Amino acid sequence: MVIDFIADYYNNIEHYPVLSQVKPGYLRHLLPRSAPLAAEPIEEIIKDIETHIIPGITHWQHPAHFAYFPCTASTAGILGELLTAGLNVVGFSWVASPAATELEAIVMDWLGELLNLPKPFLFSGNGGGVIMGTTCEALLATLVAARDRKLAEIGEGEIGIGKLVVYCSDQTHCAFAKAAKIVGIKQGNVRVVPASKTTSFGLCPDELVRAVRSDRDRGLVPLFLCATVGTTPTAAVDPLLPLCRVAREHDIWVHVDAAYAGAACVCPEFRHVIDGVEGADSFSLNAHKWFLTTLDCCCLWVKDPSALRKSLSTNPEYLRNQASDEGGVIDYKDWQVTLSRRFRCLKLWMVLRSNGVANLRNFLRSHVRMAEAFEKLVAEDARFEIVVPRRFSMVCFRMGDCVVVDDGVANLVNKKLLESINGSGRVFMTHAVAGGIYMLRLAVGATLTEARHVAEAWKVVREQADAMDVEGIVGC
Amino acid sequence: MVIDFIADYYNNIEHYPVLSQVKPGYLRHLLPRSAPLAAEPIEEIIKDIETHIIPGITHWQHPAHFAYFPCTASTAGILGELLTAGLNVVGFSWVASPAATELEAIVMDWLGELLNLPKPFLFSGNGGGVIMGTTCEALLATLVAARDRKLAEIGEGEIGIGKLVVYCSDQTHCAFAKAAKIVGIKQGNVRVVPASKTTSFGLCPDELVRAVRSDRDRGLVPLFLCATVGTTPTAAVDPLLPLCRVAREHDIWVHVDAAYAGAACVCPEFRHVIDGVEGADSFSLNAHKWFLTTLDCCCLWVKDPSALRKSLSTNPEYLRNQASDEGGVIDYKDWQVTLSRRFRCLKLWMVLRSNGVANLRNFLRSHVRMAEAFEKLVAEDARFEIVVPRRFSMVCFRMGDCVVVDDGVANLVNKKLLESINGSGRVFMTHAVAGGIYMLRLAVGATLTEARHVAEAWKVVREQADAMDVEGIVGC
């Protein structure tokens, strides 16, 4: 019955408004005030899901969902989740379910090889991979490992932690500053280097050098750089090769956050965006974003797993067991923030096998082609401009200079335009601001998206632009 | 096909050895060295799961799984996970899927009321609940909130964070010390108060007072107490009422970790174990442990959600939206460590409705009755002793004094006994050491466990004890 429900959901998904149209608080008065004393039949629950829950869903699997970054489901991913829930094992240590640990190590080597990650990131090269829930966890784990390694060097004195500085650009995902805060980095020591349109919003190595030198001159200790491949605002790519060179000189841990764009590196023609990753310490991507693996599945590779283990391992008596005591097995609890962990590698393994690498590459390429087609349509309309060169499957655009006089007004016009586009219920896009420019983002990536949906998205944009009273907005 | 596989799995589960019998590294040579280029049929993958994965599974859903704490699956839980994977929405903010946020708030109020949590923990009392993956995340989130609130008071000077002290007992789960380490509490400032057999391994309030006073005298700043209801080693209960009184006097944040035993509080007769919780700041339980909700589902309630938000909120431009800007909606990303979050409340809602409260209570009671029955069997055998009074569905026992001379030898004997019990493949138990005593733990809680499985477990224990060469062990 539930399988049928899901099948029907996907059959009907195009008829739903992508962005939920409910008002805040809609659900509370539709549901009882408390849990039922007696069991209710599943039919009743499914009916309520149809009537009360579905209207409150913003449909991430809708083919016209172009907002944020994609979060791709697929048949293999969903079945993998189902099996994970069915077996419901807790794989904190090897002994707690050997297959969960061993399959994860194998699949992380598979995927690492597909990405052409340098050997030192793979188990076969004395590094290794681990699956977490989200990039936030990957950032936390690597930050703590780097922090503790550094404190061991400089001494965990009273003021040790207060001296540590971390680096990112103003395009880096907010998860990084949050993770830094959580691990005790002082707010004033999160160095946010501005990125500009001249570098297509990539982090400029010279700016990093300047920041690091200035911090060292003040007696601070550079700790960690979060470089991004495919930033959230504009899918910008920080240049890993020169950044890692700077970092190495100053003994800075480099994490490469390729949450969205990392998946593209399984295609040889996109792999160059992570050239230089051999100089980094850790690398992560979210297979749930653009790799058909349902939420959550963040893949993290590190060159030095012992750094994670030194910070994150626990060995309470009640978890002791012969296999762990003898060494030679992976206890993933010691690689991550949490103890309990789901059998997440099962779905990733199923996605890889059930699709095959060739199809996965074609899937990613098809999204890039759709984004290219959209980019072309935008470029052909004199009212619009592409704000930054398209990267991967994301197009950043706005109604441009020829229509409105200055950026302040342009920002207002584009904000109104986005509101009316999303108000249509036919597509869902979100926005970004970079270098002071408000832009619309079309992020292609939903599993069901086809060329016609992207064409339709452009039609919606054009229609809403046609209907806009730009003069009126400019006037006020 | 996958549904059939899962149904067959549960039909056959009693025939599998509970504890996987594979050797480290078993899987790598069974699987190809890399991901396949071409798609493989699902039949092939399922065959591999049967042949290669299942033998490496330690079957947490096996009715004779008495190890660690239970991790309960159920039909409603599994179907909930399936729906979550099918919809695959990312509910970081309200707008990203209003139903995901609103249902979570409603269900957390439902469950909070069932537990008879004081009103200030519920949304209806200006507190509120949030679902995370694991207790580790709940501890991290509350520790950071408490830390930042305290640092705002005492000043985030260079040495502020180095002065903070956190408290627990030596029975507290290792996740707490790990979380404290992650948020930057100095290793020397994690105050581990020894709990003894005289208090049944509950944390003694007088000991806490002594520790806090001593720290204050040294100029340190007490920050946080993790009290446990149902500890991992022996299911001990820290006395919340006097502990919270001490904490209030010294302005210490109290978190109550009721990961396993919290579920029992939906039964009125067990609710007394959290008497005094009204003096705490936060309370968590894992619905995936003993409440039929598949991994992962940690329910956290806090009295002051603004403390979480002050520490954990982010507001990047690319996530800005009208509903959030206007306030009046919950953006759960600001209540937790991670940004992305699964639609976890769906399964909890389905478990509550599909079972009904009355059945859920009976389910928990049946496990407690089974543990009582086991306790009685142990007590009737002169070779054995119950080490601490049984709590909830967990029995801690060992071969006792009459058989062996001192605790050192007794520990060795019981370690051997556990090895032979688990080596049988018929049951799986784990051990704990508390107060220097090595004991066997029988934690009843798997969904399929019936009285006959517990009787069989005792039979296995007795047979292995019969076969043991105690004299030989004592001799060496």
Side-chain angles (χ1 to χ4, degrees), chain A residues 314-426:
Chain A
T314 52
N315 191 22
E317 183 60 40
Y318 46 82
L319 295 181
R320 282 190 66 180
N321 65 88
Q322 205 187 334
S324 299
D325 284 351
E326 287 173 357
V329 297
I330 299 167
D331 288 331
Y332 270 127
K333 70 181 174 58
D334 297 337
W335 291 52
Q336 61 176 31
V337 168
T338 64
L339 175 69
S340 290
R341 60 201 318 272
R342 302 193 305 126
F343 192 177
R344 292 192 190 97
C345 60
L346 200 52
K347 62 183 171 180
L348 182 53
W349 184 55
M350 289 178 69
V351 164
L352 285 166
R353 293 188 60 181
S354 184
N355 290 282
V357 173
N359 287 331
L360 287 167
R361 285 180 178 144
N362 288 337
F363 168 79
L364 295 162
R365 285 168 181 148
S366 75
H367 287 159
V368 175
R369 270 198 307 274
M370 289 181 222
E372 282 168 350
F374 187 87
E375 183 188 25
K376 195 156 165 280
L377 291 168
V378 174
E380 283 166 4
D381 189 318
R383 293 173 298 177
F384 286 88
E385 64 167 349
I386 301 293
V387 182
V388 284
R390 178 199 49 76
R391 286 281 199 178
F392 311 107
S393 64
M394 193 161 87
V395 184
C396 295
F397 65 103
R398 64 166 182 172
M399 286 188 77
D401 297 341
C402 53
V403 185
V404 285
V405 277
D406 65 48
D407 273 350
V409 178
N411 288 356
L412 190 63
V413 168
N414 282 285
K415 191 162 186 282
K416 295 273 175 205
L417 175 62
L418 181 61
E419 279 168 16
S420 60
I421 289 168
N422 288 339
S424 76
R426 288 154 65 196

Side-chain angles (χ1 to χ4, degrees), chain A residues 220-288:
Chain A
L220 298 174
V221 180
L223 175 68
F224 196 100
L225 165 67
C226 180
T228 311
V229 172
T231 62
T232 308
T234 67
V237 174
D238 292 338
L240 300 187
L241 199 64
L243 290 173
C244 290
R245 209 174 286 139
V246 175
R248 193 167 325 117
E249 199 180 318
H250 298 277
D251 197 23
I252 294 172
W253 180 301
V254 180
H255 178 75
V256 178
D257 169 9
Y260 151 66
C265 297
V266 304
C267 304
E269 69 271 31
F270 298 123
R271 170 60 176 74
H272 65 91
V273 295
I274 59 166
D275 281 356
V277 69
E278 57 277 9
D281 297 275
S282 48
F283 174 89
S284 64
L285 67 81
N286 288 349
H288 60 252

